[in-house]
Amino acid sequence: MKPYRINELASKYVEYDMIQTYTELPAFPDPRLRLLHAVLSEHESLEPKSELYSLVVSLVQLGMDTHDLIDTEETRRSENEMRSRQLKVLAGDYFSSRFYQLLSQAGQIGMVSKISAAVCEVNRLKMDLYTKMQKSQLKAEEYLNKLTELRSEMFQLFSGMMEGAFVKLWPEMLEDVSRCETVLDEMNRFDSPSRFYQSWAYWHVMQEGTPEEQQSLSRKTEHSFIHDLRGKYELQSSLVSKLKAASDSLRSTAAKLESDRLKNVIQELADSFLEKMAAHTRA
């Protein structure tokens, strides 16, 4: 198996001075890519294309995630804010378009249609989620499940290529890794009043909170108010429990694998999630 270097390969498409100077990009989907690369490498027929497939999926996912960061509110923006917004649009389009070129150069035309179909499904899932958000029809657990599904959907396109035990284990491992990523991101949203709105914690309080708290959440939320809610409803400890459960499930699945090499990759992923959780909890 070739060593994992997808983030290094993607850097030449991502690390442009103008982008880094004037705007921010979303986090690179590294855990899912490490899992994908490792699992593809366990298949004799897929191993030669494991780097290519992982790279193109990384760019498509990064393109969609970048577009998700675009502010759609119709408000006046400063020149810097406008430049940042325009660069996100262009960067997202650029990342998404490069997979066509990479796959066509490699003669992998069939994968173009599979990835395009996966993108359409991701967009359908997003529209379903956004519609429920606008109608305030979401429960906190449903929200978490839908975000996990959104994170994993692009990578699910490989399910039909899996063989043997991976036919069953790939979706399970992918869901656990995606859920760990989702929960960690939701923990980070505690620290930002601007990101608290419509987070898992927001929907939890809208589900369990008092009418007064729910009314306050419909307006601009201050950091002190969020801090009080965080303690009252034990929001952080709830997410810690969810992350530990997903991490334990990932370890349990790893124990069913025959490949020691793949077991090590998955154990490292599970450990990294717990380390990030511990660092956030200490902070």
Side-chain angles (χ1 to χ4, degrees):
M1 180 177 74
K2 294 180 180 178
Y4 175 82
R5 58 188 189 121
I6 305 306
N7 46 3
E8 178 184 338
L9 293 173
S11 64
K12 75 173 187 177
Y13 304 104
V14 176
E15 294 179 357
Y16 288 96
D17 290 342
M18 183 169 288
I19 292 176
Q20 295 182 337
T21 301
Y22 294 109
T23 194
E24 294 182 0
L25 293 178
F28 194 70
D30 196 66
R32 280 164 286 164
L33 290 169
R34 287 184 182 275
L35 178 66
L36 175 64
H37 181 262
V39 171
L40 292 179
S41 296
E42 292 295 320
H43 291 71
E44 185 177 352
S45 61
L46 298 174
E47 195 278 335
K49 298 180 281 290
S50 60
E51 264 195 357
L52 173 64
Y53 288 169
S54 299
L55 174 60
V56 295
V57 168
S58 76
L59 294 175
V60 175
Q61 186 67 60
L62 191 61
M64 291 191 295
D65 292 345
T66 301
H67 280 160
D68 286 343
L69 294 180
I70 297 171
D71 182 7
T72 58
E73 293 185 7
E74 296 184 2
T75 57
R76 291 184 61 85
R77 299 179 178 87
S78 67
E79 182 178 345
N80 287 339
E81 289 172 336
M82 284 296 298
R83 182 185 290 116
S84 175
R85 187 177 188 276
Q86 290 167 352
L87 281 172
K88 284 186 175 69
V89 173
L90 294 173
D93 289 345
Y94 173 72
F95 300 151
S96 298
S97 67
R98 289 313 296 257
F99 89 89
Y100 288 102
Q101 181 185 22
L102 290 168
L103 289 174
S104 61
Q105 287 176 342
Q108 296 289 312
I109 305 303
M111 278 298 291
V112 172
S113 61
K114 290 181 180 179
I115 290 178
S116 298
V119 170
C120 290
E121 180 59 15
V122 169
N123 288 332
R124 186 193 68 79
L125 293 172
K126 285 180 183 176
M127 289 305 300
D128 179 58
L129 176 60
Y130 296 157
T131 299
K132 290 194 173 185
M133 282 180 166
Q134 290 173 349
K135 295 181 179 179
S136 297
Q137 294 178 341
L138 273 180
K139 300 297 185 182
E141 193 61 25
E142 180 188 12
Y143 165 84
L144 204 62
N145 291 338
K146 285 186 175 295
L147 280 192
T148 299
E149 184 180 14
L150 275 171
R151 267 193 165 86
S152 63
E153 184 61 35
M154 176 56 58
F155 296 76
Q156 288 287 7
L157 71 90
F158 294 97
S159 296
M161 304 180 190
M162 298 296 168
E163 301 171 356
F166 292 109
V167 173
K168 180 176 184 296
L169 296 181
W170 168 247
E172 294 178 2
M173 292 186 292
L174 179 58
E175 180 180 356
D176 288 336
V177 169
S178 299
R179 191 170 181 86
C180 286
E181 285 188 81
T182 300
V183 172
L184 277 173
D185 187 54
E186 291 300 309
M187 291 177 70
N188 290 329
R189 294 180 70 168
F190 287 143
D191 303 323
S192 172
S194 62
R195 295 191 69 213
F196 187 87
Y197 179 65
Q198 293 191 335
S199 65
W200 172 86
Y202 170 91
W203 294 112
H204 182 84
V205 176
M206 292 299 287
Q207 182 179 332
E208 304 292 340
T210 66
E212 292 77 14
E213 289 166 341
Q214 294 170 358
Q215 182 66 27
S216 295
L217 280 179
S218 65
R219 302 188 297 270
K220 183 178 179 180
T221 51
E222 300 296 336
H223 190 273
S224 58
F225 178 59
I226 293 174
H227 184 271
D228 291 342
L229 293 175
R230 179 175 172 174
K232 178 179 179 180
Y233 293 101
E234 300 181 331
L235 299 175
Q236 179 163 288
S237 61
S238 294
L239 286 179
V240 165
S241 296
K242 293 179 186 299
L243 192 142
K244 287 181 177 178
S247 178
D248 288 346
S249 177
L250 186 59
R251 292 177 189 277
S252 177
T253 302
K256 303 173 186 177
L257 299 169
E258 296 182 0
S259 169
D260 289 336
R261 184 170 54 187
L262 183 54
K263 283 182 180 179
N264 289 337
V265 170
I266 295 175
Q267 291 287 357
E268 289 173 1
L269 281 174
D271 289 343
S272 70
F273 288 130
L274 294 179
E275 288 168 2
K276 290 176 182 176
M277 178 197 70
H280 184 275
T281 302
R282 287 194 300 269

